[in-house]
Amino acid sequence: MLSHKAKYALKALLYLAEQDENHISKTIEIAEGANIPKKFLEQILLDLKRGHFVSSKQGKYGGYYLIKSKNDITLAEIHRLFDGAIALLPCASLNFYEPCSDCKTESECHLRHGLMLIRDKTLQAMQGITIASLVQK
Amino acid sequence: MLSHKAKYALKALLYLAEQDENHISKTIEIAEGANIPKKFLEQILLDLKRGHFVSSKQGKYGGYYLIKSKNDITLAEIHRLFDGAIALLPCASLNFYEPCSDCKTESECHLRHGLMLIRDKTLQAMQGITIASLVQK
DNA sequence: TTAAATTCTAGTAATTATGTAGAATTTATA
DNA sequence: TATAAATTCTACATAATTACTAGAATTTAA
């Protein structure tokens, strides 16, 4: 399941993607438009900025805007930024790999192989969903 | 990600699937064989029993055994029993559906459609992984 | 009757999720 | 240059969930 943070991030990106080119959106505007708690959204937007999905203009008349094409922002990336691994266990993860603490040896782990198959399928599906594909829905 | 509970459940089922037909496994035996905290495993086995994956014999010389074919126990079922929805949000779930609290109307939710596509792909992959497929690895 | 197992009902400790508060900083413009 | 209005930063709060543990009750074979 997605955390609220990841869900709100997606909704904020959708909001930004629907604005006119060159439009700068204030946090409060996004919060009200997408129904997200404003103070929570502040943090999320900073995370999205650190992830190079959006950028900001500070000070009066400042706000946020997309810096990555809505065609290039995938659900997989947002999931990884906010919720971490897409795989079902760390030992089956590409980006968040960690060995199982409770497996004697990795080759003996009967779960890993199957979970990597799932990861590949899910990842492929998540990479196919972009902000653009969601906007036009 | 899978909870420890779900992971332990899978490992316990794998352990049971590897035993001889008609063999009854004590909790302590499974716990040591699969490296699972014993008291925690007790609860998990009861959940698996309530889910009709295993059954038990009480009293001295009692223990647990599979009652469902290892070919018919899928990762999807175990995920749902211990970790709930496979979909990324409740509004996109088949078995754990709930409307979004923060969406004005369901048809206006731009996330739902995309998340249902992911759910279908992931579910299909998870239904393809059975205990039998994991045992032979 | 006893030993050895499951089953049941609580409880607990640590972690994570979901926010909020408030001050500091930045910037446009009057 | 002062001010208003925005982002940014640091810290905290609180509730829920996760991952267990404790111990008594029940069941059953011998």
Side-chain angles (χ1 to χ4, degrees), chain B residues 29-91:
Chain B
E29 185 185 323
I30 306 172
E32 288 171 358
N35 217 20
I36 303 168
K38 194 225 172 201
K39 274 302 217 176
F40 200 19
L41 179 59
E42 283 181 14
Q43 288 186 356
I44 293 164
L45 288 168
L46 284 171
D47 287 336
L48 285 171
K49 186 181 177 185
R50 290 184 200 109
H52 305 292
F53 295 99
V54 304
S55 188
S56 67
K57 190 162 174 298
Q58 286 192 99
K60 198 168 183 179
Y61 305 113
Y64 289 90
Y65 52 95
L66 283 185
I67 51 167
K68 192 164 179 177
S69 163
K70 58 188 173 191
N71 293 296
D72 295 337
I73 304 177
T74 73
L75 185 46
E77 291 174 302
I78 301 305
H79 188 285
R80 280 173 169 153
L81 182 60
F82 290 95
D83 293 343
I86 284 162
L88 289 171
L89 287 181
C91 69

Side-chain angles (χ1 to χ4, degrees), chain A residues 26-27 42 46 49 56 58 64:
Chain A
K26 296 188 289 181
T27 304
E42 282 181 15
L46 285 171
K49 187 182 176 183
S56 67
Q58 287 193 96
Y64 289 91

Side-chain angles (χ1 to χ4, degrees), chain B residues 8-29:
Chain B
Y8 292 157
L10 289 168
K11 290 176 74 173
L13 290 169
L14 282 169
Y15 182 92
L16 291 176
E18 282 171 333
Q19 306 311 306
D20 293 338
E21 197 88 17
N22 300 327
H23 177 72
I24 285 189
S25 305
K26 296 188 289 182
T27 303
I28 185 70
E29 185 185 323

Side-chain angles (χ1 to χ4, degrees), chain A residues 2 6 9-10 13 48 53 68-82 86 122-134, chain B residues 88 115 118:
Chain A
L2 291 182
L10 289 169
L13 290 169
L48 285 171
F53 295 99
K68 192 164 182 178
S69 163
K70 60 188 171 189
N71 293 296
D72 295 338
I73 304 177
T74 72
L75 185 48
E77 292 175 301
I78 301 306
H79 187 285
R80 281 174 169 152
L81 182 60
F82 290 95
I86 284 162
T122 303
L123 180 54
Q124 197 182 354
M126 288 177 85
Q127 284 172 338
I129 304 289
T130 64
I131 294 297
S133 76
L134 291 170
Chain B
L88 289 171
L115 296 188
I118 313 245

Side-chain angles (χ1 to χ4, degrees), chain A residues 8-109:
Chain A
Y8 291 157
L10 289 169
K11 290 175 72 173
L13 290 169
L14 282 170
Y15 182 91
L16 291 175
E18 282 172 334
Q19 307 310 305
D20 292 338
E21 196 89 16
N22 300 326
H23 177 72
I24 286 189
S25 305
K26 296 188 289 181
T27 304
I28 184 72
E29 186 186 321
I30 305 171
E32 288 171 358
N35 217 19
I36 303 168
K38 195 225 171 202
K39 275 302 218 177
F40 201 19
L41 178 60
E42 282 181 15
Q43 289 188 357
I44 292 164
L45 288 167
L46 285 171
D47 287 335
L48 285 171
K49 187 182 176 183
R50 291 184 199 108
H52 305 291
F53 295 99
V54 304
S55 189
S56 67
K57 190 164 174 296
Q58 287 193 96
K60 196 168 184 180
Y61 304 113
Y64 289 91
Y65 53 95
L66 283 184
I67 53 167
K68 192 164 182 178
S69 163
K70 60 188 171 189
N71 293 296
D72 295 338
I73 304 177
T74 72
L75 185 48
E77 292 175 301
I78 301 306
H79 187 285
R80 281 174 169 152
L81 182 60
F82 290 95
D83 293 344
I86 284 162
L88 289 172
L89 287 180
C91 70
S93 173
L94 282 171
N95 289 243
F96 298 85
Y97 171 80
E98 275 182 62
C100 302
S101 53
D102 55 325
C103 277
K104 280 125 194 181
T105 71
E106 189 122 289
S107 61
E108 245 183 275
C109 176

